[in-house]
């Protein structure tokens, strides 16, 4: 997937367009040729399929519930399926195929492996079913109509900057700082987007010698965490600590999400080492607690409620045959087309701004307040 870098100004402009609705466009205008039928409306009360991956983080668990409730409330029949942790790709393929055969009018997909759904989404297109990629892009096919996600490149940049800020605050010494890099699962298109966003901030600091990756593992293939599994991150951290941090101190770790952040912290603790500055993502309950306790340094708030709401709004627009709101039409090239996207802004969270960042997330705000 190619990702064109947007400057902060461009993002603000894109946001302004979104607010005024100037960038709304009809499905199919962006080149797939498939959107005309899908944008012509369908019966209220139709079935909407939602195919979610395995539950590798709390956001996926929450999304299923919110889709079920939100779609029913909007008058649709919701068919929400998770791909089980075993045999995930094949099961998700079967689930999507069954949704097409079962007459779903729109299928919202959080892909397990965004490169392996070509046959299924093309079957959807051929049956006149609209496909919305949710959170993770579906690659190498023109049969995906829309993408709805948080701005994941921005997530990576925020993580990179948080690592630098955390090091300046907590390392207890001047630069250079020793760091290690972790990325997500290679079958998730987001993993490279997060990593590239973070490296846009970190690479210049590595080049100038402010940051030192002691293991030497700076390629995404070396930093990957298969299946987003915490045990894989923990094993890799254990092995790096043993091989590269005998006499050196590890000051910071780029972690792409909270589940892996906690595994990395556990590894340092079990090795009897000081806990490094560790980034995260998803605002998982245990990580928010850890941040308030001064252990994990940062997370990202990608409010799942807002993302699900936006996806359901798109379904409503498709149902009425209205234009579907998008605010980005040039960043998400999936190899076959630039997928029109609606991107929401992610928010960095540290102990310092947690109360403000979770002002609209009552369950997390309550946790933050309990530490005040
Ligand atoms: C999501 C992250 C999540 C990860 C693992 C990614 O695609 O964007 O929020 O942490 O998957 O579940």
């Amino acid at each position: 997937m190619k990702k064109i870098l947007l400057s902060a100004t461009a993002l603000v402009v894109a946001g302004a367009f979104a607010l005024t609705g100037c960038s709304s466009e009809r499905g199919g205008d962006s080149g797939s040729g498939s959107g005309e039928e899908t944008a012509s409306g369908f019966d209220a009360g139709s079935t909407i399929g939602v195919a979610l991956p395995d539950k590798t983080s709390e956001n996926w668990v929450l999304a299923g519930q919110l889709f079920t409730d939100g779609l029913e409330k909007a008058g649709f029949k919701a068919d929400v399926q998770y791909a089980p942790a075993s045999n995930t790709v094949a099961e998700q393929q079967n689930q999507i195929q069954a949704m097409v055969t079962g007459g779903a009018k729109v299928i919202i997909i959080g892909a397990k492996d965004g490169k392996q759904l070509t046959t299924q989404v093309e079957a959807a297109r051929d049956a006149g079913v609209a496909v919305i990629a949710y959170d993770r892009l579906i690659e190498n096919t023109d049969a995906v109509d829309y993408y709805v996600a948080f701005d994941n490149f921005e997530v990576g940049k925020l993580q990179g900057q948080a690592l630098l800020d955390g090091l300046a605050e907590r390392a207890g010494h001047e630069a250079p700082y020793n760091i290690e890099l972790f990325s997500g699962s290679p079958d998730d298109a987001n993993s490279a987007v997060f990593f590239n966003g973070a490296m846009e901030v970190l690479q210049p600091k590595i080049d100038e010698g402010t940051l030192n990756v002691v293991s030497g593992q700076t390629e995404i293939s070396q930093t990957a965490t298969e299946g987003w599994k915490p045990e894989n991150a923990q094993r890799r951290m254990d092995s790096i600590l043993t091989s590269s941090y005998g006499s050196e101190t590890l000051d910071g770790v780029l972690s792409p999400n909270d589940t892996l952040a906690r595994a990395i912290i556990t590894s340092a603790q079990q090795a009897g080492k000081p806990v490094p500055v560790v980034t995260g993502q998803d605002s998982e309950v245990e990580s928010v607690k850890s941040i308030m306790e001064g252990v994990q340094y940062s997370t990202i708030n990608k409010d799942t409620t807002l993302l699900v709401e936006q996806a359901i709004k798109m379904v409503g627009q498709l149902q009425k045959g209205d234009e579907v709101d998008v605010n980005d039409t040039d960043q998400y090239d999936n190899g076959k087309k630039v997928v029109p996207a609606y991107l929401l802004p992610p928010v960095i969270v540290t102990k310092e701004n947690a109360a403000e960042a979770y002002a609209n997330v009552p369950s997390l705000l309550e946790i933050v307040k309990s530490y005040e």
Side-chain angles (χ1 to χ4, degrees), residues 56-57 59-60 135-136 188 190 194 228 257 281-282 302:
T56 42
S57 45
N59 53 341
W60 294 114
D135 187 77
R136 299 173 171 176
D188 176 355
N190 283 348
F194 299 144
W228 286 102
N257 81 357
Q281 161 171 216
D282 294 333
K302 300 196 304 184

Side-chain angles (χ1 to χ4, degrees), residues 100-123:
V100 175
T101 325
K105 294 296 180 196
V106 181
I107 303 181
I108 298 167
I109 302 174
K112 165 63 183 170
D113 183 335
K115 288 190 176 64
Q116 297 205 55
L117 294 176
T118 317
T119 309
Q120 292 70 32
V121 298
E122 290 178 2

Side-chain angles (χ1 to χ4, degrees), residues 40-189:
S40 63
F42 51 84
D43 289 347
S46 296
T47 298
I48 307 301
V50 181
L52 297 172
D54 46 341
K55 300 173 182 174
T56 42
S57 45
E58 280 170 15
N59 53 341
W60 294 114
V61 180
L62 183 58
Q65 194 54 51
L66 292 169
F67 269 121
T68 305
D69 296 348
L71 284 168
E72 303 275 343
K73 201 164 151 219
F76 298 105
K77 285 195 212 64
D79 177 10
V80 179
Q81 307 280 342
Y82 281 97
S86 59
N87 203 17
T88 324
V89 173
E91 284 294 335
Q92 185 166 59
Q93 291 170 336
N94 292 340
Q95 287 167 345
I96 294 168
Q97 189 60 57
M99 287 169 186
V100 175
T101 325
K105 294 296 180 196
V106 181
I107 303 181
I108 298 167
I109 302 174
K112 165 63 183 170
D113 183 335
K115 288 190 176 64
Q116 297 205 55
L117 294 176
T118 317
T119 309
Q120 292 70 32
V121 298
E122 290 178 2
R125 179 200 46 206
D126 295 347
V129 181
V131 171
I132 301 175
Y134 172 87
D135 187 77
R136 299 173 171 176
L137 193 58
I138 297 170
E139 298 174 87
N140 299 333
T141 173
D142 61 7
V144 47
D145 296 287
Y146 300 101
Y147 180 43
V148 61
F150 279 87
D151 185 331
N152 288 317
F153 193 76
E154 182 65 16
V155 167
K157 279 169 58 179
L158 291 171
Q159 290 172 329
Q161 189 55 49
L163 182 59
L164 294 181
D165 295 346
L167 288 167
E169 242 174 69
R170 291 194 182 169
H173 62 87
E174 299 291 308
Y177 303 113
N178 292 334
I179 64 158
E180 293 299 330
L181 307 169
F182 282 71
S183 58
S185 191
D187 54 9
D188 176 355

